[in-house]
Amino acid sequence: MVVEEKKVAIVVRKYDPKTDLSGVEDVERRCEVGPSGELSLFTDLLGDPICRVRNSPAYLMLIAEIIGSEEKEIVGMIRGCIKTVTCGKKLSRNGKNNSEAIPKPVPVYTKLAYILGLRVSPSHRRMGIGLKLVRETEEWFRENGAEYSYLATDNDNQASINLFTDKCGYAKFRTPSILVNPVFAHRVRVSSRVTIIKLPPCDAEFLYRKRFATTEFFPRDIDSVLNNKLTLGTFLAVPRGTYSAESWPGSSRFLSSPPDSWALLSVWNAKDVFTLEVRGASRVKRTLARTTRVLDRALPWLRLPSVPEVFKPFGLHFLYGLGGEGPRAVKLVKALCGHAHNLAKERGCSVVATEVSNGEPLRLGIPHWKRLSCAEDLWCIKRLGEDYSDGSVGDWTKSPPGLSIFVDPREI
């Protein structure tokens, strides 16, 4: 008896929301299987598989499909986006003909691509599907002028690290920290010695461009980020008695005569993009968490550190663009984080998160729970070609880390 082998072909093509949604969601479910007996974090993309890159200037989603003689099946996917960011800085004089002008640092920009959400069905791994998806995505990056490609992965995800570093030519680049703080049933007390002002987007843009444009990964289209409907606001903290909402003079005049210390951050409403859920918790852990919430609601004046409801779908706010100057900047950042916590509470979120460089001086002012946070996220990077606009920087992949990085909320 002769048994004929089934011939199959692996095809990579663009995602079609009209025909591919159910297949993509099925792959997501099969990939999000946590270790037995351990806590696992699941993501619900709310019916929009492109939601985590949709707000970027250019984006793409590819799927891998196995086509046989009788049927076809989606077995993998990948998402990518492209933007222009700061990769370094150089010194520039204010005037071309003024030899005595004081050089000032100005950003050096490059076109950067980002890979997000590579998935391959567990039953179809070790078939080269992941590698094929990455290479097809990189080809789209090159066609659209991207000079570098990078991705973020868990330091413990050895399979992902091996794929990108051993087979795709990526190098380990940065190890920022993801800091996550729960949203309690009570409001957090913000210091009365601090005034917090909500800035108009135009003032926020001016401040960011004037003070933080040379920060690594700063997006050149920061105005698009700040004006996006998911940005709930940019908040400036100053010592009480310096400025108020009523006396705010605008960013230009503020920077011409700033107080001795100030800090700012922006809030991104990720709750409207996706929800998260912690699974795998024992009944004992769930009961303990519920007890802390009950006590917090019953006795709010005690300000107990309660565990929010994370065992069913929950939303988060992401804090981005953290920055500041002066000896009291850390305390001002702490006040801003308290204000952001209260905003998240009002809008029904369970956690507030941010991501900062390991060397970020202001991280001391960011409240977070160690159990919920990640001390070292891993970013890997690859140079896509040889003709570059970053000549004054050199090969960015070989540059040392700075004190700060700018994490774009459109890619979380």
Side-chain angles (χ1 to χ4, degrees), residues 28-257:
E28 289 280 6
R29 281 192 296 271
R30 280 183 279 163
C31 289
E32 290 192 326
V33 177
S36 178
E38 296 183 14
L39 295 179
S40 303
L41 187 65
F42 290 74
T43 305
D44 183 351
L45 302 180
L46 305 178
D48 182 10
I50 309 180
C51 63
R52 295 175 72 178
V53 293
R54 184 177 294 282
N55 292 287
S56 296
Y59 61 87
L60 172 77
M61 180 172 175
L62 298 176
I63 64 165
E65 191 173 47
I66 284 191
I67 301 177
S69 57
E70 298 178 355
E71 59 182 356
K72 55 185 178 181
E73 177 186 4
I74 295 174
V75 295
M77 70 199 74
I78 193 171
R79 303 162 184 87
C81 56
I82 303 172
K83 62 183 178 181
T84 300
V85 305
T86 297
C87 64
K89 57 187 175 183
K90 62 183 178 181
L91 294 179
S92 175
R93 297 187 180 277
N94 292 321
K96 293 182 179 179
N97 300 319
N98 187 357
S99 59
E100 297 181 0
I102 299 175
K104 63 176 183 177
V106 296
V108 175
Y109 291 109
T110 189
K111 207 165 186 180
L112 176 69
Y114 180 59
I115 290 175
L116 173 71
L118 173 62
R119 301 279 189 271
V120 176
S121 175
S123 58
H124 293 85
R125 289 173 184 169
R126 300 184 182 279
M127 295 174 60
I129 295 173
L131 182 60
K132 189 175 180 67
L133 283 165
V134 172
R135 286 178 173 167
E136 292 279 351
T137 303
E138 288 180 344
E139 185 58 33
W140 180 77
F141 290 162
R142 291 188 183 95
E143 289 173 357
N144 285 274
E147 299 173 321
Y148 294 93
S149 172
Y150 87 112
L151 64 117
T153 188
D154 193 319
N155 244 324
D156 297 329
N157 191 343
Q158 202 56 51
S160 176
I161 294 171
N162 290 343
L163 169 65
F164 285 100
T165 59
D166 295 348
K167 296 182 180 180
C168 299
Y170 286 74
K172 296 180 180 180
F173 190 56
R174 301 290 184 256
T175 54
S177 299
I178 301 173
L179 306 179
V180 181
N181 205 47
V183 175
F184 308 128
H186 65 270
R187 289 175 61 84
V188 169
R189 183 178 294 159
V190 178
S191 173
S192 59
R193 298 180 180 179
V194 177
T195 297
I196 295 177
I197 304 168
K198 184 177 182 180
L199 301 179
C202 58
D203 275 349
E205 179 189 352
F206 187 90
L207 262 177
Y208 277 122
R209 291 197 188 279
K210 286 295 182 179
R211 283 294 189 268
F212 305 107
T214 57
T215 302
E216 196 174 44
F217 289 94
F218 179 85
R220 189 163 67 178
D221 66 334
I222 185 64
D223 53 322
S224 295
V225 184
L226 296 171
N227 285 288
N228 190 292
K229 64 180 181 180
L230 295 172
T231 290
L232 300 179
T234 298
F235 303 93
L236 174 75
V238 294
R240 184 180 179 183
T242 53
Y243 289 102
S244 67
E246 293 73 25
S247 65
W248 173 247
S251 290
S252 179
R253 290 180 60 187
F254 172 80
L255 288 178
S256 67
S257 182

Side-chain angles (χ1 to χ4, degrees), residues 256-273:
S256 67
S257 182
D260 72 321
S261 300
W262 56 273
L264 85 163
L265 60 75
S266 299
V267 180
W268 183 266
N269 180 23
K271 181 184 178 183
D272 285 357
V273 180

